[in-house]
């Protein structure tokens, strides 16, 4: 059987490591990554995450597309104080973009590395991806990758990838009490 051309939305290198390992062990996929995360602030943090994704693409020998967009004003003006609405918007813009790109570029299917993280709202991500697969007529490859999260993160740590200390947006930065959180002034 020919391999399925799969466009994988990559939220970060640690999450993508586990997802790519799982998909490679399943077999049957020709994987291309898409790094598109306008939720990440500030740009220094985005650069750190993106650079690890570039290293990951070499380590895994997969092509990764990059799409940079900064939306700080939108976040500050429209989404402060409402986590549920904020995260829904955040997942939607990223998943919609990957599905649209998959359709335009002739991929057979799309998925997202967000589905591996126990820190994300898995069901919300799944629901949004199922809706956009209908909107664009391109298959959403659903898997619950969460059992592979720890293994992928350990592998990412061994490879020296950047391990972020907050989810990505300015609000999650404020909410994170990680001891090693970088110091940023927004
Ligand atoms: S907490 Fe994470 S998922 Fe929610 S809006 Fe912020 S960056 Fe996006």
């Amino acid at each position: 059987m020919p391999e399925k051309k799969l466009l994988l939305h990559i939220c970060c290198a640690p999450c993508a490591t586990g997802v790519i390992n799982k998909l490679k062990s399943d077999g049957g996929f020709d994987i291309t990554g898409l790094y598109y995360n306008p939720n990440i602030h500030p740009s220094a943090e985005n650069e750190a995450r993106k650079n690890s994704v570039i290293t990951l693409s070499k380590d895994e020998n997969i092509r990764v597309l990059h799409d940079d967009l900064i939306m700080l004003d939108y976040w500050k003006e429209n989404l402060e104080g409402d986590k549920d609405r904020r995260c829904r918007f955040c997942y939607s813009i990223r998943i919609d973009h990957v599905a649209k790109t998959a359709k335009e570029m002739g991929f057979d299917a799309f998925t997202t590395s967000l589905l591996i993280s126990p820190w994300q709202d898995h069901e919300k991500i799944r629901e949004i991806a199922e809706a956009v697969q209908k909107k664009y007529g391109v298959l959403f490859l659903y898997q619950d990758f969460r059992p592979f999260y720890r293994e992928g993160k350990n592998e990412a740590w061994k490879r020296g990838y950047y391990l972020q200390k907050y989810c990505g947006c300015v609000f999650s930065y404020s909410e994170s009490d990680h001891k090693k959180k970088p110091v940023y002034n927004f």
Side-chain angles (χ1 to χ4, degrees):
M1 255 216 335
E3 290 186 321
K4 260 198 173 68
K5 280 179 66 191
L6 177 71
L7 188 61
L8 167 66
H9 166 249
I10 293 179
C11 60
C12 62
C15 286
T17 300
V19 170
I20 292 168
N21 281 348
K22 171 65 169 54
L23 291 171
K24 281 187 172 177
S25 80
D26 289 348
F29 298 107
D30 173 12
I31 305 166
T32 297
L34 172 60
Y35 182 84
Y36 174 72
N37 301 291
N39 52 315
I40 298 168
H41 293 292
S43 54
E45 177 72 19
N46 186 48
E47 284 303 306
R49 298 189 195 190
K50 193 169 84 173
N51 286 339
S52 274
V53 171
I54 291 168
T55 307
L56 165 88
S57 75
K58 292 176 188 149
D59 292 343
E60 295 290 349
N61 194 27
I62 63 166
R63 182 167 68 125
V64 176
L65 313 170
H66 293 267
D67 202 331
D68 289 321
L69 175 68
I70 300 292
M71 298 177 65
L72 185 57
D73 288 346
Y74 188 96
W75 292 102
K76 284 193 164 168
E77 288 164 15
N78 295 296
L79 299 181
E80 194 159 13
D82 183 343
K83 189 170 186 324
D84 186 61
R85 189 165 70 92
R86 179 206 323 162
C87 295
R88 179 173 289 280
F89 172 80
C90 178
Y91 297 143
S92 294
I93 52 167
R94 291 185 281 168
I95 294 168
D96 190 282
H97 186 71
V98 70
K100 184 167 180 281
T101 306
K103 181 70 180 177
E104 287 170 355
M105 294 184 72
F107 284 87
D108 299 313
F110 73 92
T111 193
T112 172
S113 59
L114 289 164
L115 289 168
I116 202 172
S117 174
W119 306 105
Q120 303 294 337
D121 187 333
H122 192 90
E123 288 311 318
K124 195 176 275 171
I125 294 162
R126 182 179 186 176
E127 175 205 316
I128 290 166
E130 284 173 352
V132 296
Q133 89 174 327
K134 290 197 190 105
K135 178 177 171 187
Y136 293 109
V138 60
L139 183 74
F140 163 47
L141 178 84
Y142 173 73
Q143 278 196 39
D144 184 354
F145 296 109
R146 287 175 292 186
F148 308 97
Y149 175 76
R150 188 57 53 198
E151 189 186 313
K153 197 166 172 194
N154 288 343
E155 178 64 25
W157 180 79
K158 278 190 216 146
R159 293 181 189 179
Y161 297 163
Y162 179 71
L163 304 177
Q164 62 268 22
K165 308 297 184 284
Y166 62 103
C167 191
C169 65
V170 288
F171 310 111
S172 62
Y173 178 82
S174 307
E175 287 157 10
S176 167
D177 57 2
H178 200 290
K179 285 194 217 74
K180 294 185 180 163
K181 186 168 80 167
V183 178
Y184 293 134
N185 291 311
F186 292 100

